[in-house]
Amino acid sequence: MINISKLYCGLAGESDHLRYNKRNDFGPIAVFNCTKKCNLRCQHCYSSSDKSLNDIELNTTQAIDRLDQLKEANCPVVLFSGGEPLLRGDLFELLTYAKKIGLRTVISTNGTLIDERTAEKLAGVDIGYIGISLDGPKHLHDKFRGVDGCFDKTIAGFKNCRKYNIKAGLRFTITKDNKDFASEMFDIASDNGIRRICFYHLISTGRATEISDQTLSPQQTRATIDNIIAKTQQFVTKDQIDEVLTVGNHADGPYVLVKMQEQGHADFEKAKELLMINGGNKIGEKIACVSWDGSVYADQFWRNYCLGNVTEKRFKDIWYSDSDPVLYKLHNKDKFAAEICKSCKWFELCRGNYRFLGAGISDENWVNEPGCYLTKEEITK
């Protein structure tokens, strides 16, 4: 995550103690895809979820043990995702248990199921944060999410969270169809009392492989990030936003620095230092994923290679090991990243978007996904 509001505007973020931690004294933030079931059918879904799916899921006892394993591995946060996590019958039992053992709980949801009763229950388990997806104005959002009327239900979900004093943020996945509405999301957020926005780059995995034509060109990406930076500054100045982040493309950090350097921004060196502390791409290190069946992945978007299963081996023994060839490469990006990345002057604070998309782990299958959009001149030492 690249915190635009922190780097460009100097606004403190709630997770700064994790994002800019010199001590490196915590385990990975863990995404728990607790179910594959979903009431929508989103075009970009990395887990290819929909309502017809009924894959094997960890039962309650196994899921509780899984939470114990995350605590054992010093994970500070568990993010319940899916599918749609609110379709899991024992979700509130799991949230209560996670809180009991000292894990901060976060939910990633489409928001359509957060009626008043559900919001009250979420407040009752002291949920730390809810990220709710909204991908444009009504006509675009409903088309992208595959169900008519879901925009209105999502907005109602935001309002119900606000009614029960639950911190909720807006999550927007950038595509060619909705890129021009990124600025409008600030207004939608402000109108609904939403003070945190995360802009996600489209990653070619799951159903997103079927909409490859929706991937932005480098020029379109630059223009979109420019708009996000400008709107962030505008809304921070008016005290209408607390935090704006981009997710999924670590080139955003260097790009923000390039813009700040060109503008003679007073906080350029401070922003550079923060990104150096953050260390760039931490897939396979500070972000982990455990799926509905107990499978462990390097992150939630990387589902073509399983590192192990928590029903067969403790999470910490899977995660803190260089015996797996994929984890070994991820832990040693200085050796294995693409040559263009290793020669880039921003490599130490970015480390590329290093992953492989095919079935095999051989070197030719590793790529930067999403791709870098900086120019040759901007990356040359």
Side-chain angles (χ1 to χ4, degrees):
M1 286 186 164
I2 305 301
N3 192 331
I4 304 295
S5 48
K6 173 75 171 183
L7 300 174
Y8 196 84
C9 304
L11 203 61
E14 186 174 350
S15 297
D16 284 357
H17 65 292
L18 298 176
R19 196 168 291 120
Y20 311 114
N21 186 319
K22 290 182 179 180
R23 298 189 305 275
N24 195 30
D25 56 357
F26 59 92
I29 293 170
V31 177
F32 180 17
N33 294 112
C34 61
T35 182
K36 196 176 182 182
K37 294 189 291 291
C38 189
N39 58 321
L40 305 183
R41 197 181 190 282
C42 307
Q43 293 179 17
H44 69 310
C45 182
Y46 63 77
S47 60
S48 300
S49 298
D50 64 31
K51 62 183 178 181
S52 67
L53 297 168
N54 189 26
D55 280 35
I56 295 172
E57 295 178 357
L58 299 176
N59 61 36
T60 303
T61 300
Q62 290 172 320
I64 285 174
D65 177 65
R66 184 264 181 181
L67 294 172
D68 285 331
Q69 291 187 43
L70 295 180
K71 181 65 176 178
E72 180 184 42
N74 201 28
C75 296
V77 179
V78 57
L79 188 159
F80 289 81
S81 187
E84 172 49 57
L86 287 167
L87 287 175
R88 181 164 175 130
D90 60 358
L91 176 65
F92 289 94
E93 181 178 352
L94 299 180
L95 291 170
T96 299
Y97 185 79
K99 185 74 175 179
K100 177 183 176 181
I101 63 174
L103 289 168
R104 182 172 185 259
T105 53
V106 174
I107 289 179
S108 177
T109 172
N110 60 50
T112 61
L113 303 178
I114 307 179
D115 54 21
E116 284 200 40
R117 181 174 177 273
T118 299
E120 185 177 17
K121 289 176 67 177
L122 288 166
V125 297
D126 196 22
I127 194 75
Y129 173 77
I130 299 179
I132 301 178
S133 298
L134 198 68
D135 296 301
K138 184 173 181 176
H139 70 285
L140 271 179
H141 180 77
D142 286 3
K143 176 185 176 183
F144 195 57
R145 296 279 161 177
V147 176
D148 289 341
C150 64
F151 177 91
D152 292 335
K153 290 182 179 179
T154 296
I155 293 296
F158 276 118
K159 292 179 178 178
N160 288 325
C161 286
R162 188 180 183 188
K163 180 176 180 178
Y164 287 93
N165 296 314
I166 300 169
K167 184 175 181 181
L170 190 157
R171 305 166 76 246
F172 177 94
T173 299
I174 308 167
T175 67
K176 282 185 179 178
D177 280 350
N178 70 6
K179 62 180 175 55
D180 294 332
F181 293 95
S183 297
E184 185 175 322
M185 304 316 292
F186 285 84
D187 298 307
I188 291 175
S190 180
D191 290 344
N192 291 280
I194 302 162
R195 298 190 62 90
R196 187 178 195 260
I197 308 177
C198 295
F199 292 94
Y200 282 72
H201 291 266
L202 186 66
I203 297 177
S204 184
T205 186
R207 274 202 294 271
T209 59
E210 301 170 16
I211 56 168
S212 58
D213 61 329
Q214 286 295 312
T215 300
L216 272 61
S217 69
Q219 294 76 20
Q220 291 170 328
T221 301
R222 294 168 72 94
T224 302
I225 300 301
D226 286 347
N227 287 337
I228 291 170
I229 292 172
K231 293 295 283 189
T232 299
Q233 185 175 36
Q234 177 187 339
F235 274 65
V236 166
T237 301
K238 296 189 296 184
D239 191 27
Q240 291 180 310
I241 202 78
D242 289 333
E243 198 167 23
V244 177
L245 306 103
T246 63
V247 187
N249 193 331
H250 296 88
D252 291 346
Y255 184 70
V256 170
L257 291 182
V258 167
K259 300 300 290 185
M260 293 176 75
Q261 195 169 37
E262 287 176 352
Q263 297 164 1
H265 196 297
D267 289 336
F268 168 78
E269 291 296 341
K270 185 183 295 185
K272 183 178 178 182
E273 180 184 5
L274 288 172
L275 287 171
M276 287 292 291
I277 293 170
N278 177 261
N281 183 357
K282 294 294 181 69
I283 292 173
E285 298 178 72
K286 293 299 184 182
I287 180 73
C289 174
V290 180
S291 200
W292 44 82
D293 63 352
S295 296
V296 178
Y297 300 102
D299 77 349
Q300 69 269 39
F301 300 105
W302 199 336
R303 312 190 74 81
N304 56 323
Y305 184 84
C306 179
L307 301 168
N309 192 293
V310 295
T311 64
E312 300 167 358
K313 193 174 182 179
R314 304 295 290 180
F315 175 80
K316 67 179 179 63
D317 295 328
I318 297 171
W319 195 252
Y320 296 115
S321 170
D322 275 346
S323 62
D324 182 274
V326 169
L327 282 181
Y328 181 73
K329 283 191 172 185
L330 292 176
H331 295 170
N332 295 276
K333 298 184 185 75
D334 290 348
K335 296 180 181 178
F336 297 108
E339 289 301 320
I340 192 171
C341 289
K342 289 190 291 184
S343 64
C344 173
K345 68 179 180 180
W346 307 112
F347 178 67
E348 289 186 35
L349 54 81
C350 172
R351 296 190 174 272
N353 303 310
Y354 195 46
R355 66 176 74 236
F356 70 89
L357 300 179
I361 64 172
S362 55
D363 289 347
E364 62 268 19
N365 289 329
W366 289 75
V367 296
N368 274 314
E369 171 61 31
C372 179
Y373 56 91
L374 275 68
T375 65
K376 183 178 179 181
E377 291 74 23
E378 288 167 343
I379 68 174
T380 300
K381 293 182 179 179

